[in-house]
Amino acid sequence: MKGSSMDDAVSAALSYFDSVDPALAADARLGWDGLIAVSSPAGPTQHSVQTFLWVHLRHLADGSDRAVDIARALGELLDRLGRVAYAEIARSAVTEELMRIADDASWLQTYRSATEQSGIGAVDTELVTWQDAPTGIERVIVEKIGETLEVATIAGEFEPSKPGGRPLGAKAQITRRRGVTDAVLTSDRGKDDSEAVLLEQLLDHRIELWSSYSPPRAELYLGVRESLHDAVQPVYGCVRRLESFIGCIGDGVTLTDAGYLPNDLVASIASTVFPPAERREWSLRNDPEEQSRVGRELDTEKIFTLRRLLMRVRLLRRSGGRLVPTARTRQLSSDALWRVLTAGIVGTEYHPDAIAAEVVLARMVVGHDAADVEATADDLARLLRAEGWTHAGEEPAAEHAEPLTRTLVSELSALGAFELSEPDRVSASETVGAIATDEGKRLAAAVLRHRLLHTRYPAL
């Protein structure tokens, strides 16, 4: 039922209600007008019904009792239009519960659970984490995914493959819904196939959303958009380095009493994982009295940093005085390891440490010296001030921001992301003249891309 036929049917139903119960007719019209406002031109879908009832109506109505009355009236209208399944949603206990929850945090938890149980909510996948209240193109994409999932449900895509077979478990259903979600994101394009696939449109939307937070952030993302789109494909230089490091650990190694890697293993990692130019940073010293220090993990900063990074992203862990790979590490492909790295090295929190990482990564992408701590810290301090952060009750200055930039630069250097302008220096205590290699730029862009697609942005 589309277009004028829907309008005629709705008008006839409302006329009937008006003849028997004018108050019911008025509430039904309010509900219908609100539903149409959040539906596509083709008419209501399960997704738009749930969105209107569970998200919008609790704010549009004058109190929870009025919201429940409007929802029930809308249910009567939908029932008369033959939309029985939608009518049941409008009259359900879940809908009434969501309308009566006053606390936003409790409402959000219940809403997420209800959406998941409905079977047509756009689920989070490795490609994207959805905003709680999508706007713009993201809202359009979520609606399209909801419609696709609804059609798939009606077509029996989530039923057992054989008649009389066991129903799909919750995990199997979620897996299939993620598959549908990713297929829509990566296969469907915009109008007449003339626009980019929906995932890339979503990335553009997130860049605009993120850039709207402050002028310094808008400047930060101004020159990186194309690189973020290109970063959909992995690069493997840093992945090979991690794989080699994990290979040296094998099934596990016993740590020293102080909790470090044994010296002979450090030497093996140095020769296996790192190229000669980087090994010169911890080469043998001529002074015999210094020979006892050769190979200590603490004296080889990049090995120490890489080991801590692998533990932080949960690929290695300590167990009973040993360093061992985690269960998932043994099953990771190179592509999966790339995803773990880009997801874990910075993460998705809105926090000064992560904002500092964004500044470093964006500077890498555009070819600036990431180890120019003064310039990086100045950019970071301006961004933090613009977005309302403070340091010990004061506005952040460059000297406050400097420590936030150093850890990530150290980790990226250990991953081989920089081409150093002073390759012959002995000390690795600080990175001077660190310009990202092509692979380093791709890694930085991939980390930023992941952050943009997976961060639930706070209201500022």
Side-chain angles (χ1 to χ4, degrees):
M1 195 163 49
K2 298 181 180 180
S4 60
S5 62
M6 177 182 287
D7 295 338
D8 292 343
V10 172
S11 296
L14 291 173
S15 295
Y16 169 75
F17 288 161
D18 195 43
S19 68
V20 297
D21 188 343
L24 174 65
D27 285 349
R29 178 170 291 282
L30 285 173
W32 180 259
D33 289 344
L35 175 58
I36 289 302
V38 300
S39 299
S40 68
T45 63
Q46 183 179 341
H47 178 270
S48 64
V49 170
Q50 291 177 181
T51 299
F52 171 65
L53 293 170
W54 296 353
V55 178
H56 298 292
L57 185 54
R58 67 191 289 262
H59 297 295
L60 295 174
D62 185 16
S64 59
D65 288 341
R66 283 292 296 135
V68 172
D69 288 342
I70 294 171
R72 288 173 177 170
L74 178 59
E76 293 299 315
L77 176 59
L78 291 167
D79 210 353
R80 193 164 184 84
L81 294 173
R83 305 295 182 90
V84 178
Y86 298 169
E88 290 177 353
I89 295 171
R91 296 187 295 238
S92 70
V94 172
T95 294
E96 181 171 350
E97 180 186 7
L98 283 163
M99 290 176 179
R100 295 195 182 282
I101 297 175
D103 179 66
D104 286 342
S106 298
W107 170 86
L108 181 58
Q109 183 177 2
T110 304
Y111 168 70
R112 286 177 177 170
S113 175
T115 302
E116 181 177 329
Q117 291 177 17
S118 74
I120 59 92
V123 293
D124 296 339
T125 76
E126 287 188 343
L127 294 179
V128 64
T129 298
W130 301 102
Q131 303 300 304
D132 291 319
T135 59
I137 188 63
E138 181 167 357
R139 174 178 161 183
V140 174
I141 294 171
V142 167
E143 290 172 352
K144 185 178 184 65
I145 291 170
E147 293 170 11
T148 305
L149 287 167
E150 183 177 355
V151 171
T153 301
I154 295 171
E157 292 293 329
F158 302 104
E159 297 296 325
S161 55
K162 296 180 180 179
R166 295 178 61 184
L168 292 181
K171 289 185 178 180
Q173 290 197 30
I174 286 289
T175 298
R176 290 197 182 184
R177 286 169 59 197
R178 284 177 177 148
V180 171
T181 298
D182 285 347
V184 172
L185 284 169
T186 57
S187 302
D188 288 15
R189 292 181 173 271
K191 300 175 182 178
D192 303 320
D193 289 340
S194 60
E195 296 177 340
V197 297
L198 297 183
L199 181 61
E200 301 309 309
Q201 293 186 54
L202 177 61
L203 177 61
D204 282 330
H205 171 73
R206 293 286 181 87
I207 293 173
E208 296 301 325
L209 176 65
W210 210 211
S211 297
S212 70
Y213 274 32
S214 67
R217 189 178 290 278
E219 294 174 18
L220 189 71
Y221 283 100
L222 189 62
V224 302
R225 186 185 300 260
E226 184 177 348
S227 296
L228 295 181
H229 284 294
D230 291 342
V232 66
Q233 296 298 328
V235 291
Y236 295 106
C238 57
V239 171
R240 302 281 185 260
R241 183 170 291 207
L242 293 181
E243 288 176 332
S244 296
F245 195 108
I246 293 169
C248 290
I249 301 301
D251 293 330
V253 296
T254 301
L255 299 171
T256 66
D257 292 341
Y260 297 106
L261 297 174
N263 293 358
D264 57 345
L265 180 60
V266 171
S268 176
I269 291 174
S271 61
T272 303
V273 177
F274 297 91
E278 292 183 71
R279 292 204 299 271
R280 281 198 290 271
E281 294 178 4
W282 53 78
S283 58
L284 294 177
R285 295 174 173 86
N286 293 326
D287 186 347
E289 294 182 1
E290 294 291 316
Q291 293 299 311
S292 61
R293 293 170 52 97
V294 172
R296 289 200 322 174
E297 187 179 15
L298 278 178
D299 296 331
T300 53
E301 183 181 351
K302 287 188 177 180
I303 292 178
F304 182 60
T305 299
L306 214 54
R307 195 252 287 193
R308 292 181 64 184
L309 172 62
L310 286 165
M311 294 179 70
R312 185 161 64 80
V313 298
R314 299 180 181 178
L315 295 176
L316 297 176
R317 65 183 180 88
R318 291 188 62 167
S319 176
R322 288 171 56 81
L323 184 69
V324 298
T326 59
R328 69 169 179 168
T329 303
R330 300 180 177 91
Q331 304 170 0
L332 287 180
S333 64
S334 295
D335 285 347
L337 183 53
W338 168 260
R339 291 192 293 270
V340 169
L341 177 63
T342 54
I345 194 170
V346 172
T348 59
E349 295 298 317
Y350 181 66
H351 182 275
D353 288 346
I355 296 171
E358 286 183 85
V359 173
V360 171
L361 295 166
R363 288 176 58 85
M364 288 173 62
V365 172
V366 298
H368 290 160
D369 185 350
D372 185 348
V373 176
E374 183 175 341
T376 302
D378 184 63
D379 288 348
L380 173 58
R382 286 195 304 114
L383 198 160
L384 292 174
R385 288 195 300 269
E387 296 184 2
W389 293 94
T390 60
H391 178 84
E394 300 178 356
E395 286 194 340
E399 59 267 24
H400 301 144
E402 284 185 15
L404 297 177
T405 68
R406 294 185 184 277
T407 299
L408 181 64
V409 171
S410 177
E411 289 183 343
L412 292 168
S413 178
L415 287 167
F418 298 123
E419 187 169 309
L420 306 179
S421 62
E422 298 182 19
D424 293 326
R425 73 189 190 284
V426 173
S427 174
S429 60
E430 59 180 296
T431 306
V432 180
I435 303 298
T437 63
D438 288 342
E439 283 207 0
K441 292 178 181 178
R442 288 285 295 277
L443 172 61
V447 175
L448 280 178
R449 177 188 173 96
H450 180 277
R451 181 165 170 77
L452 284 162
L453 288 174
H454 289 275
T455 298
R456 284 196 171 104
Y457 303 110
L460 295 183

